[in-house]
Amino acid sequence: MSGEFWLGTLLSIPIGVGTGLAIAPVQRWLDSYGKYRSLGRTKRMRADYEEAHYFFTYPHRMTHYFLNRAIELLRWTMFVGLGFGGVMLMKPTPLTGWTQYFQWLLPFGLLLSVVFFSQEVNRLHAIYYRVEFFGEYREKVLKALPDLEKIS
């Protein structure tokens, strides 16, 4: 028999033992991480349901909430627009030396502002649809979390 056969045989034993010892902790970690994510999803679903139930019960509060968020978004848009507009209106000088490394800040900041704005609008849109179609939403949530029946 060749030397490669014996080398493979000798190396397969420690590799097999090491693999056997490593699988159990990794599997336990994956199980605990799955439980952690499931608990987080349940908490988020509960909070979303309580918020939708509150706004469904008190629709005028939802109007006030949406108006306040719209004013905040308008204020943020004005701040970002004036800030970036002011920078864009300045006479651009060629960036040389160490200042050339900061030329990516303006487009990156503008991109982050657009992402923030769209995320906030999407969140408000999700709240609106949960409240608008509260009956369907309630049935879906109560199937997943039957203990919320007492809130309604």
Side-chain angles (χ1 to χ4, degrees), residues 38-39 41-50 137-152:
S38 175
L39 183 63
R41 235 184 341 265
T42 303
K43 285 182 180 179
R44 256 190 326 276
M45 186 182 286
R46 177 182 293 274
D48 289 346
Y49 178 78
E50 288 172 354
Y137 176 69
R138 181 176 182 272
E139 289 175 12
K140 184 180 92 170
V141 170
L142 289 180
K143 284 181 187 175
L145 301 172
D147 63 320
L148 288 177
E149 184 74 43
K150 62 184 176 214
I151 292 178
S152 303

Side-chain angles (χ1 to χ4, degrees), residues 84-92:
F84 287 129
V87 170
M88 296 299 274
L89 290 176
M90 291 188 319
K91 291 274 186 199

